[in-house]
Amino acid sequence: MTVPRRQLLTHDGDSLLLTRSAADTVLRFVEWRAATGMDPSSFTFNPILTVPLPIYGPMPDGGRRFADVNPAALWHPLFWLPKRLAGRFMIPSPDGGESIAESDAIRAIRIALELSASGLYNAEGWVDILAASGIDIDRPTDLDRVAAWQAGAPDEILDSIDLEPYLRLDTDPHWALVSAMGLEDDMQHAQWALLADSLIEELDEADDEEDLTSYRNAVGVIATMAEAQLAEIPTDGDGAASFWSGLSLEAGEGIYASREAFADGPVHAGSQWLYKVREEYWPAVAELQQLEHA
């Protein structure tokens, strides 16, 4: 039997781990909202995982957890994760104190590992969970059925959907957590390097803007992306977020007599910052590539 698959945010050949482009992160955020109708407060988006993760809050009394999600999006496995996978693990504190909640990065890596190992996601796309259960969201009657279930109507098939048969691949239920904890630092460092690399390319493309206003606007967008996606990089001084918010302000309000003055000032500083990050963290990219091909 052929497993029905669909694409959402991903393309043929994509991995779930490590986003190659800072611009893609922004586009996928927008596309996810458009496809699902979800408010940003109801999902997390760490670039280490190339797709957002719905937040599994408490089950509403007498209702459905994702009742407000566009019913046409409920084919996606991310809306049917079992509790043990969707939740947040408590892990030992590095200083030996009380346990702490796993980081967004560990959660993202852990979920990606299980989804990929199980085949719920592969290079051809996501398993259409509803189609695998005989429900075709492209049929209006089936889509209405899903919407009615979201509103609280009982449905024998929808009430019985369980991803554990796909996911139960190992006798150790915590294998992905252990792996994610071991990979977190390398994954985080590699992600920083890849994002810095993509932003260097964005700055190179912005340099093609001939007039100062267009150039400043393009650099302002790049600075905003860097501030949002590279804020956690440890730096000297006031921190990464402060550096890029300052550069964004310079792009919008700084006084420069010429395009060259703007390029030689804040743009050069931003470029050097990105090159330094890429150089420092690129060894993690190479190391993960070696692991992938081992």
Side-chain angles (χ1 to χ4, degrees), residues 158-212:
L158 290 168
D159 286 333
S160 65
I161 290 177
D162 180 10
L163 298 194
E164 280 293 6
Y166 291 93
L167 296 164
R168 199 176 296 119
L169 302 174
D170 197 293
T171 55
D172 179 5
H174 302 312
W175 71 270
L177 173 63
V178 174
S179 297
M181 291 172 64
L183 288 168
E184 181 186 19
D185 286 347
D186 281 342
M187 282 284 180
Q188 186 64 81
H189 294 169
Q191 188 59 79
W192 290 339
L194 291 169
L195 291 174
D197 185 63
S198 76
L199 289 169
I200 290 169
E201 291 184 8
E202 294 282 346
L203 281 180
D204 288 344
E205 291 180 11
D207 192 49
D208 293 335
E209 300 288 348
E210 295 183 359
D211 68 278
L212 178 56

CSV table of all heavy atoms in Angstrom, one decimal, residues 158-212:
chain,number,residue,atom,x,y,z
A,158,LEU,N,-11.6,9.6,13.6
A,158,LEU,CA,-10.8,10.7,14.0
A,158,LEU,C,-10.4,10.5,15.5
A,158,LEU,O,-9.3,10.9,16.0
A,158,LEU,CB,-11.5,12.0,13.8
A,158,LEU,CG,-11.6,12.5,12.3
A,158,LEU,CD1,-12.5,13.6,12.2
A,158,LEU,CD2,-10.2,12.8,11.8
A,159,ASP,N,-11.4,10.0,16.3
A,159,ASP,CA,-11.1,9.8,17.7
A,159,ASP,C,-10.1,8.7,18.0
A,159,ASP,O,-9.5,8.6,19.1
A,159,ASP,CB,-12.4,9.4,18.5
A,159,ASP,CG,-13.3,10.6,18.6
A,159,ASP,OD1,-12.8,11.8,18.7
A,159,ASP,OD2,-14.5,10.5,18.7
A,160,SER,N,-9.8,7.9,17.0
A,160,SER,CA,-8.9,6.7,17.2
A,160,SER,C,-7.5,6.9,16.6
A,160,SER,O,-6.7,6.0,16.6
A,160,SER,CB,-9.6,5.5,16.6
A,160,SER,OG,-9.7,5.5,15.2
A,161,ILE,N,-7.3,8.0,15.9
A,161,ILE,CA,-6.0,8.2,15.3
A,161,ILE,C,-4.9,8.2,16.3
A,161,ILE,O,-4.9,8.9,17.4
A,161,ILE,CB,-5.9,9.6,14.5
A,161,ILE,CG1,-6.8,9.5,13.3
A,161,ILE,CG2,-4.5,9.9,14.1
A,161,ILE,CD1,-6.9,10.7,12.5
A,162,ASP,N,-3.8,7.4,16.1
A,162,ASP,CA,-2.7,7.2,17.0
A,162,ASP,C,-1.5,7.0,16.2
A,162,ASP,O,-1.4,6.1,15.4
A,162,ASP,CB,-3.0,5.9,17.9
A,162,ASP,CG,-1.9,5.7,18.9
A,162,ASP,OD1,-1.0,6.5,19.1
A,162,ASP,OD2,-1.9,4.6,19.5
A,163,LEU,N,-0.5,7.9,16.4
A,163,LEU,CA,0.8,7.8,15.7
A,163,LEU,C,1.8,6.8,16.3
A,163,LEU,O,2.8,6.5,15.7
A,163,LEU,CB,1.4,9.2,15.6
A,163,LEU,CG,0.7,10.2,14.9
A,163,LEU,CD1,1.6,11.4,14.5
A,163,LEU,CD2,0.0,9.7,13.6
A,164,GLU,N,1.5,6.3,17.5
A,164,GLU,CA,2.5,5.4,18.1
A,164,GLU,C,2.9,4.2,17.3
A,164,GLU,O,4.0,3.8,17.3
A,164,GLU,CB,2.0,5.0,19.5
A,164,GLU,CG,2.2,6.0,20.6
A,164,GLU,CD,3.6,6.3,20.9
A,164,GLU,OE1,4.6,5.8,20.3
A,164,GLU,OE2,3.9,7.1,21.9
A,165,PRO,N,2.0,3.6,16.5
A,165,PRO,CA,2.4,2.5,15.7
A,165,PRO,C,3.5,2.9,14.7
A,165,PRO,O,4.3,2.0,14.3
A,165,PRO,CB,1.1,2.0,15.0
A,165,PRO,CG,0.0,2.4,15.9
A,165,PRO,CD,0.5,3.7,16.6
A,166,TYR,N,3.5,4.1,14.2
A,166,TYR,CA,4.6,4.6,13.4
A,166,TYR,C,5.8,4.8,14.2
A,166,TYR,O,6.9,4.5,13.7
A,166,TYR,CB,4.2,5.9,12.7
A,166,TYR,CG,3.1,5.9,11.7
A,166,TYR,CD1,1.8,6.2,12.1
A,166,TYR,CD2,3.3,5.7,10.4
A,166,TYR,CE1,0.8,6.2,11.2
A,166,TYR,CE2,2.3,5.7,9.4
A,166,TYR,CZ,1.0,6.0,9.8
A,166,TYR,OH,0.0,6.0,8.9
A,167,LEU,N,5.7,5.3,15.4
A,167,LEU,CA,6.8,5.9,16.1
A,167,LEU,C,7.5,4.8,17.0
A,167,LEU,O,8.7,5.0,17.4
A,167,LEU,CB,6.4,7.0,17.1
A,167,LEU,CG,5.8,8.2,16.3
A,167,LEU,CD1,5.0,9.1,17.3
A,167,LEU,CD2,7.0,9.0,15.7
A,168,ARG,N,6.9,3.7,17.3
A,168,ARG,CA,7.4,2.8,18.3
A,168,ARG,C,8.5,1.9,17.6
A,168,ARG,O,8.2,0.8,17.1
A,168,ARG,CB,6.3,1.9,18.9
A,168,ARG,CG,6.7,1.2,20.1
A,168,ARG,CD,5.5,0.4,20.7
A,168,ARG,NE,4.4,1.3,21.1
A,168,ARG,CZ,3.2,1.2,20.6
A,168,ARG,NH1,2.9,0.3,19.7
A,168,ARG,NH2,2.2,2.0,21.0
A,169,LEU,N,9.7,2.4,17.5
A,169,LEU,CA,10.7,1.8,16.7
A,169,LEU,C,11.9,1.2,17.6
A,169,LEU,O,12.7,0.5,17.1
A,169,LEU,CB,11.4,2.8,15.7
A,169,LEU,CG,10.4,3.4,14.7
A,169,LEU,CD1,11.1,4.5,13.9
A,169,LEU,CD2,9.8,2.4,13.8
A,170,ASP,N,11.9,1.6,18.8
A,170,ASP,CA,13.0,1.2,19.7
A,170,ASP,C,12.4,0.8,21.1
A,170,ASP,O,11.4,1.4,21.5
A,170,ASP,CB,13.9,2.4,19.8
A,170,ASP,CG,15.3,2.0,20.4
A,170,ASP,OD1,15.4,1.6,21.5
A,170,ASP,OD2,16.3,2.2,19.6
A,171,THR,N,13.1,-0.1,21.7
A,171,THR,CA,12.7,-0.5,23.1
A,171,THR,C,12.9,0.6,24.1
A,171,THR,O,12.3,0.6,25.1
A,171,THR,CB,13.4,-1.8,23.5
A,171,THR,OG1,14.8,-1.5,23.4
A,171,THR,CG2,13.1,-2.9,22.6
A,172,ASP,N,13.8,1.5,23.8
A,172,ASP,CA,14.1,2.7,24.7
A,172,ASP,C,13.2,3.9,24.2
A,172,ASP,O,13.5,4.5,23.2
A,172,ASP,CB,15.5,3.0,24.7
A,172,ASP,CG,15.8,4.2,25.6
A,172,ASP,OD1,14.9,4.7,26.3
A,172,ASP,OD2,17.0,4.7,25.5
A,173,PRO,N,12.2,4.2,24.9
A,173,PRO,CA,11.3,5.3,24.5
A,173,PRO,C,12.0,6.7,24.5
A,173,PRO,O,11.5,7.7,24.0
A,173,PRO,CB,10.2,5.3,25.5
A,173,PRO,CG,10.7,4.7,26.7
A,173,PRO,CD,11.7,3.7,26.2
A,174,HIS,N,13.2,6.8,25.2
A,174,HIS,CA,13.9,8.0,25.3
A,174,HIS,C,15.1,8.2,24.4
A,174,HIS,O,15.9,9.0,24.6
A,174,HIS,CB,14.3,8.2,26.7
A,174,HIS,CG,13.2,8.2,27.7
A,174,HIS,ND1,12.0,8.9,27.6
A,174,HIS,CD2,13.1,7.5,28.9
A,174,HIS,CE1,11.2,8.7,28.6
A,174,HIS,NE2,11.8,7.9,29.4
A,175,TRP,N,15.2,7.3,23.4
A,175,TRP,CA,16.4,7.3,22.5
A,175,TRP,C,16.5,8.6,21.8
A,175,TRP,O,17.7,9.1,21.7
A,175,TRP,CB,16.3,6.2,21.5
A,175,TRP,CG,15.2,6.4,20.4
A,175,TRP,CD1,14.0,6.0,20.4
A,175,TRP,CD2,15.5,7.1,19.1
A,175,TRP,NE1,13.3,6.4,19.2
A,175,TRP,CE2,14.2,7.1,18.4
A,175,TRP,CE3,16.5,7.7,18.6
A,175,TRP,CZ2,14.0,7.7,17.2
A,175,TRP,CZ3,16.4,8.3,17.3
A,175,TRP,CH2,15.1,8.3,16.6
A,176,ALA,N,15.5,9.2,21.4
A,176,ALA,CA,15.6,10.5,20.6
A,176,ALA,C,16.0,11.6,21.6
A,176,ALA,O,16.7,12.5,21.2
A,176,ALA,CB,14.2,10.8,20.0
A,177,LEU,N,15.5,11.6,22.8
A,177,LEU,CA,15.9,12.6,23.8
A,177,LEU,C,17.4,12.5,24.1
A,177,LEU,O,18.1,13.6,24.1
A,177,LEU,CB,15.1,12.4,25.1
A,177,LEU,CG,15.5,13.3,26.3
A,177,LEU,CD1,15.3,14.8,25.9
A,177,LEU,CD2,14.8,13.0,27.5
A,178,VAL,N,17.9,11.3,24.3
A,178,VAL,CA,19.3,11.2,24.5
A,178,VAL,C,20.1,11.7,23.4
A,178,VAL,O,21.1,12.4,23.5
A,178,VAL,CB,19.6,9.7,24.8
A,178,VAL,CG1,21.1,9.5,25.0
A,178,VAL,CG2,18.9,9.2,26.1
A,179,SER,N,19.7,11.3,22.1
A,179,SER,CA,20.4,11.7,20.9
A,179,SER,C,20.4,13.3,20.8
A,179,SER,O,21.4,13.9,20.5
A,179,SER,CB,19.8,11.1,19.7
A,179,SER,OG,19.9,9.7,19.7
A,180,ALA,N,19.2,13.8,21.1
A,180,ALA,CA,19.0,15.3,20.9
A,180,ALA,C,19.9,16.0,21.9
A,180,ALA,O,20.5,17.1,21.6
A,180,ALA,CB,17.6,15.7,21.1
A,181,MET,N,20.0,15.5,23.1
A,181,MET,CA,20.9,16.2,24.1
A,181,MET,C,22.3,16.1,23.7
A,181,MET,O,23.1,17.1,23.9
A,181,MET,CB,20.7,15.5,25.5
A,181,MET,CG,19.3,15.8,26.1
A,181,MET,SD,19.0,14.8,27.6
A,181,MET,CE,20.3,15.4,28.7
A,182,GLY,N,22.7,15.0,23.1
A,182,GLY,CA,24.1,14.9,22.6
A,182,GLY,C,24.4,15.8,21.4
A,182,GLY,O,25.5,16.2,21.1
A,183,LEU,N,23.3,16.1,20.6
A,183,LEU,CA,23.5,16.8,19.3
A,183,LEU,C,23.3,18.3,19.5
A,183,LEU,O,23.6,19.1,18.6
A,183,LEU,CB,22.5,16.3,18.3
A,183,LEU,CG,22.8,15.0,17.7
A,183,LEU,CD1,21.6,14.5,16.8
A,183,LEU,CD2,24.0,15.0,16.8
A,184,GLU,N,22.7,18.7,20.6
A,184,GLU,CA,22.2,20.1,20.8
A,184,GLU,C,23.3,21.2,20.4
A,184,GLU,O,23.0,22.1,19.6
A,184,GLU,CB,21.7,20.4,22.2
A,184,GLU,CG,21.2,21.8,22.3
A,184,GLU,CD,20.7,22.1,23.8
A,184,GLU,OE1,21.2,21.4,24.7
A,184,GLU,OE2,20.0,23.1,24.0
A,185,ASP,N,24.5,21.1,21.1
A,185,ASP,CA,25.5,22.1,20.9
A,185,ASP,C,25.9,22.2,19.4
A,185,ASP,O,26.0,23.3,18.8
A,185,ASP,CB,26.7,21.8,21.8
A,185,ASP,CG,26.4,22.2,23.2
A,185,ASP,OD1,25.4,22.8,23.5
A,185,ASP,OD2,27.2,21.8,24.1
A,186,ASP,N,26.2,21.0,18.8
A,186,ASP,CA,26.7,21.0,17.4
A,186,ASP,C,25.6,21.5,16.5
A,186,ASP,O,25.9,22.3,15.5
A,186,ASP,CB,27.1,19.6,17.0
A,186,ASP,CG,28.5,19.2,17.5
A,186,ASP,OD1,29.2,20.1,17.9
A,186,ASP,OD2,28.8,18.0,17.5
A,187,MET,N,24.3,21.1,16.7
A,187,MET,CA,23.2,21.6,15.9
A,187,MET,C,23.1,23.1,16.0
A,187,MET,O,22.9,23.8,15.0
A,187,MET,CB,21.9,20.9,16.3
A,187,MET,CG,21.8,19.5,15.8
A,187,MET,SD,21.4,19.5,14.0
A,187,MET,CE,21.3,17.7,13.7
A,188,GLN,N,23.1,23.6,17.3
A,188,GLN,CA,23.0,25.0,17.5
A,188,GLN,C,24.1,25.8,16.8
A,188,GLN,O,23.8,26.8,16.1
A,188,GLN,CB,22.9,25.4,19.0
A,188,GLN,CG,22.6,26.8,19.3
A,188,GLN,CD,21.2,27.2,18.8
A,188,GLN,OE1,20.3,27.0,19.5
A,188,GLN,NE2,21.1,27.9,17.7
A,189,HIS,N,25.3,25.3,17.0
A,189,HIS,CA,26.4,26.0,16.3
A,189,HIS,C,26.4,26.0,14.8
A,189,HIS,O,26.6,27.0,14.1
A,189,HIS,CB,27.7,25.4,16.8
A,189,HIS,CG,28.0,25.6,18.3
A,189,HIS,ND1,29.0,25.0,19.0
A,189,HIS,CD2,27.4,26.4,19.2
A,189,HIS,CE1,29.0,25.3,20.3
A,189,HIS,NE2,28.0,26.2,20.4
A,190,ALA,N,26.0,24.8,14.3
A,190,ALA,CA,25.9,24.7,12.8
A,190,ALA,C,24.8,25.6,12.3
A,190,ALA,O,24.9,26.2,11.3
A,190,ALA,CB,25.6,23.2,12.5
A,191,GLN,N,23.7,25.7,13.1
A,191,GLN,CA,22.6,26.6,12.6
A,191,GLN,C,23.0,28.0,12.6
A,191,GLN,O,22.7,28.8,11.6
A,191,GLN,CB,21.4,26.4,13.5
A,191,GLN,CG,20.1,27.1,13.0
A,191,GLN,CD,19.7,26.6,11.7
A,191,GLN,OE1,19.1,25.6,11.5
A,191,GLN,NE2,20.0,27.4,10.6
A,192,TRP,N,23.7,28.4,13.6
A,192,TRP,CA,24.3,29.8,13.6
A,192,TRP,C,25.1,30.1,12.4
A,192,TRP,O,25.1,31.1,11.7
A,192,TRP,CB,25.0,30.1,14.8
A,192,TRP,CG,24.2,30.2,16.1
A,192,TRP,CD1,22.8,30.5,16.1
A,192,TRP,CD2,24.6,30.0,17.4
A,192,TRP,NE1,22.4,30.5,17.5
A,192,TRP,CE2,23.5,30.2,18.3
A,192,TRP,CE3,25.8,29.8,18.0
A,192,TRP,CZ2,23.6,30.1,19.7
A,192,TRP,CZ3,25.9,29.7,19.4
A,192,TRP,CH2,24.8,29.9,20.2
A,193,ALA,N,26.0,29.1,12.1
A,193,ALA,CA,26.9,29.2,10.9
A,193,ALA,C,26.2,29.3,9.6
A,193,ALA,O,26.5,30.2,8.7
A,193,ALA,CB,27.9,28.1,10.9
A,194,LEU,N,25.2,28.5,9.5
A,194,LEU,CA,24.4,28.5,8.2
A,194,LEU,C,23.6,29.7,8.0
A,194,LEU,O,23.5,30.3,6.9
A,194,LEU,CB,23.5,27.2,8.2
A,194,LEU,CG,24.2,25.9,8.1
A,194,LEU,CD1,23.2,24.8,8.3
A,194,LEU,CD2,24.8,25.7,6.7
A,195,LEU,N,23.0,30.2,9.1
A,195,LEU,CA,22.2,31.5,9.0
A,195,LEU,C,23.2,32.7,8.7
A,195,LEU,O,22.8,33.5,7.9
A,195,LEU,CB,21.5,31.7,10.3
A,195,LEU,CG,20.3,30.8,10.6
A,195,LEU,CD1,19.7,31.0,12.0
A,195,LEU,CD2,19.2,30.9,9.5
A,196,ALA,N,24.3,32.7,9.4
A,196,ALA,CA,25.3,33.7,9.1
A,196,ALA,C,25.7,33.7,7.6
A,196,ALA,O,25.8,34.7,7.0
A,196,ALA,CB,26.5,33.6,10.0
A,197,ASP,N,26.0,32.5,7.1
A,197,ASP,CA,26.3,32.4,5.7
A,197,ASP,C,25.3,32.9,4.8
A,197,ASP,O,25.6,33.6,3.8
A,197,ASP,CB,26.6,30.9,5.5
A,197,ASP,CG,27.1,30.6,4.1
A,197,ASP,OD1,28.2,31.1,3.7
A,197,ASP,OD2,26.5,30.0,3.3
A,198,SER,N,24.0,32.6,5.1
A,198,SER,CA,22.9,33.0,4.2
A,198,SER,C,22.8,34.6,4.3
A,198,SER,O,22.4,35.2,3.3
A,198,SER,CB,21.6,32.4,4.6
A,198,SER,OG,21.0,32.9,5.8
A,199,LEU,N,23.0,35.1,5.5
A,199,LEU,CA,22.9,36.6,5.6
A,199,LEU,C,24.0,37.3,4.9
A,199,LEU,O,23.9,38.4,4.4
A,199,LEU,CB,22.8,37.0,7.1
A,199,LEU,CG,21.5,36.6,7.8
A,199,LEU,CD1,21.6,36.7,9.3
A,199,LEU,CD2,20.3,37.4,7.2
A,200,ILE,N,25.2,36.7,4.9
A,200,ILE,CA,26.3,37.3,4.1
A,200,ILE,C,25.9,37.3,2.6
A,200,ILE,O,26.1,38.3,1.9
A,200,ILE,CB,27.6,36.4,4.3
A,200,ILE,CG1,28.1,36.6,5.7
A,200,ILE,CG2,28.6,36.8,3.2
A,200,ILE,CD1,29.2,35.6,6.0
A,201,GLU,N,25.3,36.3,2.1
A,201,GLU,CA,24.8,36.3,0.7
A,201,GLU,C,23.7,37.4,0.5
A,201,GLU,O,23.7,38.1,-0.5
A,201,GLU,CB,24.2,34.9,0.4
A,201,GLU,CG,25.2,33.8,0.3
A,201,GLU,CD,24.6,32.5,-0.2
A,201,GLU,OE1,23.4,32.5,-0.6
A,201,GLU,OE2,25.3,31.5,-0.2
A,202,GLU,N,22.9,37.6,1.5
A,202,GLU,CA,21.8,38.6,1.5
A,202,GLU,C,22.5,40.0,1.4
A,202,GLU,O,22.1,40.9,0.6
A,202,GLU,CB,20.9,38.5,2.7
A,202,GLU,CG,20.0,37.3,2.7
A,202,GLU,CD,18.9,37.3,1.8
A,202,GLU,OE1,18.5,38.4,1.3
A,202,GLU,OE2,18.2,36.3,1.6
A,203,LEU,N,23.5,40.2,2.2
A,203,LEU,CA,24.2,41.5,2.1
A,203,LEU,C,24.9,41.7,0.8
A,203,LEU,O,24.9,42.8,0.2
A,203,LEU,CB,25.3,41.6,3.2
A,203,LEU,CG,24.8,41.9,4.6
A,203,LEU,CD1,25.9,42.0,5.6
A,203,LEU,CD2,24.0,43.3,4.6
A,204,ASP,N,25.5,40.6,0.2
A,204,ASP,CA,26.1,40.7,-1.1
A,204,ASP,C,25.1,41.1,-2.2
A,204,ASP,O,25.3,41.9,-3.1
A,204,ASP,CB,26.7,39.4,-1.5
A,204,ASP,CG,28.0,39.1,-0.7
A,204,ASP,OD1,28.5,40.1,-0.1
A,204,ASP,OD2,28.4,38.0,-0.7
A,205,GLU,N,23.9,40.5,-2.1
A,205,GLU,CA,22.8,40.9,-3.0
A,205,GLU,C,22.3,42.3,-2.8
A,205,GLU,O,22.0,43.0,-3.8
A,205,GLU,CB,21.6,39.9,-2.9
A,205,GLU,CG,22.0,38.5,-3.4
A,205,GLU,CD,20.8,37.5,-3.2
A,205,GLU,OE1,19.7,38.0,-2.9
A,205,GLU,OE2,21.0,36.3,-3.4
A,206,ALA,N,22.2,42.7,-1.5
A,206,ALA,CA,21.8,44.1,-1.3
A,206,ALA,C,22.8,45.1,-1.8
A,206,ALA,O,22.4,46.2,-2.2
A,206,ALA,CB,21.7,44.3,0.3
A,207,ASP,N,24.0,44.7,-2.0
A,207,ASP,CA,25.0,45.6,-2.5
A,207,ASP,C,24.7,46.0,-4.0
A,207,ASP,O,25.3,47.0,-4.5
A,207,ASP,CB,26.4,45.0,-2.4
A,207,ASP,CG,27.5,46.0,-2.7
A,207,ASP,OD1,27.5,47.0,-2.1
A,207,ASP,OD2,28.4,45.6,-3.5
A,208,ASP,N,23.9,45.2,-4.6
A,208,ASP,CA,23.5,45.5,-6.0
A,208,ASP,C,22.5,46.7,-6.1
A,208,ASP,O,22.3,47.3,-7.2
A,208,ASP,CB,22.8,44.3,-6.7
A,208,ASP,CG,23.8,43.2,-6.9
A,208,ASP,OD1,25.0,43.4,-7.0
A,208,ASP,OD2,23.4,42.0,-6.9
A,209,GLU,N,21.9,47.1,-5.0
A,209,GLU,CA,21.0,48.3,-4.9
A,209,GLU,C,21.9,49.5,-5.2
A,209,GLU,O,22.8,49.8,-4.4
A,209,GLU,CB,20.3,48.4,-3.6
A,209,GLU,CG,19.4,47.2,-3.3
A,209,GLU,CD,18.2,47.1,-4.2
A,209,GLU,OE1,17.9,48.1,-4.9
A,209,GLU,OE2,17.5,46.0,-4.2
A,210,GLU,N,21.5,50.3,-6.2
A,210,GLU,CA,22.4,51.4,-6.6
A,210,GLU,C,22.1,52.7,-5.8
A,210,GLU,O,23.0,53.5,-5.5
A,210,GLU,CB,22.2,51.7,-8.1
A,210,GLU,CG,22.7,50.5,-9.0
A,210,GLU,CD,22.6,50.8,-10.4
A,210,GLU,OE1,22.1,51.9,-10.8
A,210,GLU,OE2,23.0,50.0,-11.3
A,211,ASP,N,20.8,52.9,-5.5
A,211,ASP,CA,20.5,54.1,-4.7
A,211,ASP,C,20.6,53.9,-3.2
A,211,ASP,O,20.3,52.8,-2.8
A,211,ASP,CB,19.2,54.7,-5.1
A,211,ASP,CG,18.0,53.9,-4.7
A,211,ASP,OD1,17.7,52.9,-5.4
A,211,ASP,OD2,17.4,54.2,-3.7
A,212,LEU,N,20.9,54.9,-2.5
A,212,LEU,CA,21.1,54.8,-1.0
A,212,LEU,C,19.8,54.3,-0.3
A,212,LEU,O,19.9,53.5,0.6
A,212,LEU,CB,21.5,56.1,-0.4
A,212,LEU,CG,21.8,56.1,1.1
A,212,LEU,CD1,22.7,55.1,1.5
A,212,LEU,CD2,22.2,57.5,1.5
